[in-house]
Amino acid sequence: MLNALIAVAVATWFAVAYPVLRRRLAVRIPSGGAPLAWPLALVVVFAFMPLVFTVPREDGNAVLEQGLTASNVVTIVLTGLTALYLGVKIAADRRILLLPFAMPYLPFTMMVGVNGLSAAWSIVPAYTLYRTAELAVFTLASILIFDRPDIRHRLADILAIVTLAWLVSVTPEILQSLAAGIVFSSAKNNMMPLVCALLGFAAWFGPPNRRRGRYLLLAAVGFVIAGSAASTGALIAVGPALMIASRRPGVRVAGVILALASIVVFLFLMVGLSTFPALLDALSVILQKPREELANATGRGTFWPTFIAATRDHLLGSGFSAADRFVQLLIPTTELADELGRDAVFITSSHNMFLSAWAGTGLVGLGFALLTLIEPVRFAACADRGTRRIVACLILMLALNGMTTPGLFQDWNVNVLAYVAVLALARAARREAEARTGIDPTTRWADAAPSCRETGQAWPAA
């Protein structure tokens, strides 16, 4: 009975309460245009520090039993420094606090709020609170990086800096892999392909850029070096995304149908690739990966059922990030070992953003998983064609790549950075479209025309 009541309450929340709350909370705020250097440096160092310095663990619950490692402390310090920077900026201009409540950031901001609320029933409340604070801090820092009136012309430049910083941080690994004859995935990273793909989309579909050729080459090189089988497979989303970005209703509907079909094919190949031996052999050669790794989705097909079994009775989740990181607290370790066939059980992530959303905040998390994917595409509908294409391609690739990564729903990572980038792009492009249509800039967002609801001018220079 309790589960039924929870399900009804969640359905009512998204059908009735969420639209009203979004209408009440949405604000009209001009672009930030904050100085770029400090927030970008802080975010990049935080994102790639673990690639340079990290203390490995041998057990999933080690942080609870043994305390923080040196790399954990560095991460917390970087979060604190970024929070301090934001505090200084907010003290100078309190409107910065309103930026996350502007559309299309608002649904993600509400999701972060629910993540923090889940600490009340989290299996490790302190961990949930920290991860929520970390997500909030670096999401706001990301907004300051990208929310600027000229972002359509600067997006590729900023993403190129992020990509180059990542390549520098993994140069030793790249050289070692190349020496062993490994090119594809020579510095494997399941998150960076999305950033590299966005760089390519921004260079190709964005405004003319004299560095377009170099950016396209950098995007391709980064994608190959970071590449995983899943990120490569996610490229099938580009075709449906271009159709969804069309102005023609019939083409959009066909694009949605094709996108759903692509998801089905993607999932089938993840769990059923072994039924096509010839295709499996070909992909093994092209992607330079063992057949066994591709056949079982790098072990995901083995532990996903166990992960689902551990979380199935928690309709409101077991705490943002904590349920992923400490799933061993939800199911006996011996049972996990029996299922996975190994003595040392070490699962720190479901490696699936929808499962992460489910484990963290249950049905509410799944609802926000859909909203955070649908809202940006809808919001960008009245923008220029290039922006519509960039947003649709990134979001659909995020959905597919998220089948094997935590995406937006376990912690802050470069997937969140790319996501915030397209939200800022859509916001800037939509303001330009509304300026051309002559919408009154004093009109409330919720009262304006459905196709173009937000305007605003750049903040005056400090």
Side-chain angles (χ1 to χ4, degrees), residues 363-386:
L363 294 176
V364 177
L366 289 178
F368 274 111
L370 295 177
L371 283 175
T372 52
L373 295 176
I374 294 172
E375 289 277 25
V377 178
R378 293 181 57 193
F379 187 85
C382 77
D384 61 284
R385 182 174 66 176

Side-chain angles (χ1 to χ4, degrees), residues 121-251:
W121 58 86
S122 172
I123 54 175
V124 186
Y127 190 81
T128 291
L129 287 173
Y130 168 73
R131 282 300 189 189
T132 302
E134 180 186 270
L135 177 62
V137 164
F138 284 99
T139 297
L140 180 54
S142 301
I143 291 175
L144 290 187
I145 291 171
F146 294 105
D147 195 272
R148 51 191 68 248
D150 60 348
I151 188 59
R152 293 181 62 245
H153 298 275
R154 300 190 64 182
L155 178 60
D157 298 331
I158 298 172
L159 292 172
I161 293 173
V162 175
T163 303
L164 287 171
W166 168 70
L167 288 173
V168 170
S169 68
V170 295
T171 295
E173 183 180 354
I174 295 173
L175 295 177
Q176 184 178 2
S177 297
L178 293 177
I182 300 173
V183 177
F184 185 88
S185 198
S186 53
K188 183 180 178 181
N189 187 309
N190 290 334
M191 304 293 188
M192 275 306 297
L194 203 71
V195 177
C196 296
L198 181 57
L199 171 59
F201 298 147
W204 187 257
F205 297 124
N209 190 313
R210 58 189 177 89
R211 303 185 188 91
R212 170 175 287 179
R214 281 172 281 180
Y215 286 163
L216 289 173
L217 178 61
L218 177 62
V221 170
F223 192 90
V224 170
I225 289 174
S228 63
S231 61
T232 304
L235 288 173
I236 64 174
V238 173
L242 295 180
M243 297 173 67
I244 291 173
S246 172
R247 291 284 195 194
R248 300 178 180 179
V251 176

Side-chain angles (χ1 to χ4, degrees), residues 84-427:
L84 179 63
Y85 167 79
L86 293 176
V88 172
K89 298 299 293 182
I90 291 169
D93 191 338
R94 284 179 290 182
R95 288 179 298 176
I96 290 175
L97 279 176
L98 296 179
L99 277 174
F101 293 89
M103 288 295 293
Y105 305 125
L106 180 57
F108 193 75
T109 301
M110 294 173 70
M111 186 201 79
V112 175
V114 171
N115 290 343
L117 183 63
S118 70
W121 58 86
S122 172
I123 54 175
V124 186
Y127 190 81
T128 291
L129 287 173
Y130 168 73
R131 282 300 189 189
T132 302
E134 180 186 270
L135 177 62
V137 164
F138 284 99
T139 297
L140 180 54
S142 301
I143 291 175
L144 290 187
I145 291 171
F146 294 105
D147 195 272
R148 51 191 68 248
D150 60 348
I151 188 59
R152 293 181 62 245
H153 298 275
R154 300 190 64 182
L155 178 60
D157 298 331
I158 298 172
L159 292 172
I161 293 173
V162 175
T163 303
L164 287 171
W166 168 70
L167 288 173
V168 170
S169 68
V170 295
T171 295
E173 183 180 354
I174 295 173
L175 295 177
Q176 184 178 2
S177 297
L178 293 177
I182 300 173
V183 177
F184 185 88
S185 198
S186 53
K188 183 180 178 181
N189 187 309
N190 290 334
M191 304 293 188
M192 275 306 297
L194 203 71
V195 177
C196 296
L198 181 57
L199 171 59
F201 298 147
W204 187 257
F205 297 124
N209 190 313
R210 58 189 177 89
R211 303 185 188 91
R212 170 175 287 179
R214 281 172 281 180
Y215 286 163
L216 289 173
L217 178 61
L218 177 62
V221 170
F223 192 90
V224 170
I225 289 174
S228 63
S231 61
T232 304
L235 288 173
I236 64 174
V238 173
L242 295 180
M243 297 173 67
I244 291 173
S246 172
R247 291 284 195 194
R248 300 178 180 179
V251 176
R252 290 201 301 270
V253 172
V256 171
I257 294 173
L258 188 57
L260 294 175
S262 299
I263 293 173
V264 172
V265 171
F266 187 88
L267 287 173
F268 176 76
L269 291 179
M270 281 183 60
V271 299
L273 188 57
S274 58
T275 59
F276 299 93
L279 178 60
L280 180 60
D281 291 337
L283 290 176
S284 176
V285 173
I286 295 172
L287 303 180
Q288 295 183 291
K289 291 183 179 294
R291 295 177 77 259
E292 296 75 15
E293 181 178 324
L294 295 175
N296 71 348
T298 322
R300 290 171 175 83
T302 304
F303 69 75
W304 273 345
T306 305
F307 190 93
I308 294 171
T311 59
R312 65 186 176 189
D313 295 325
H314 302 267
L315 294 191
L316 291 180
S318 300
F320 169 66
S321 196
D324 264 71
R325 183 65 176 78
F326 305 110
V327 68
Q328 295 92 333
L329 299 180
L330 297 174
I331 189 170
T333 302
T334 53
E335 185 175 339
L336 278 173
D338 291 340
E339 290 286 340
L340 302 179
R342 57 185 180 180
D343 296 329
V345 178
F346 185 34
I347 298 176
T348 59
S349 171
S350 67
H351 294 281
N352 182 295
M353 73 175 187
F354 297 101
L355 288 182
S356 289
W358 160 258
T361 50
L363 294 176
V364 177
L366 289 178
F368 274 111
L370 295 177
L371 283 175
T372 52
L373 295 176
I374 294 172
E375 289 277 25
V377 178
R378 293 181 57 193
F379 187 85
C382 77
D384 61 284
R385 182 174 66 176
T387 298
R388 297 197 310 272
R389 288 179 169 181
I390 293 171
V391 172
C393 286
L394 186 281
I395 292 299
L396 285 186
M397 280 196 68
L398 175 63
L400 290 183
N401 194 50
M403 299 294 179
T404 61
T405 71
L408 310 175
F409 301 102
Q410 185 182 350
D411 53 18
W412 186 92
N413 54 65
V414 291
N415 274 1
V416 180
L417 182 75
Y419 178 73
V420 171
V422 298
L423 297 184
L425 178 69
R427 194 166 110 86

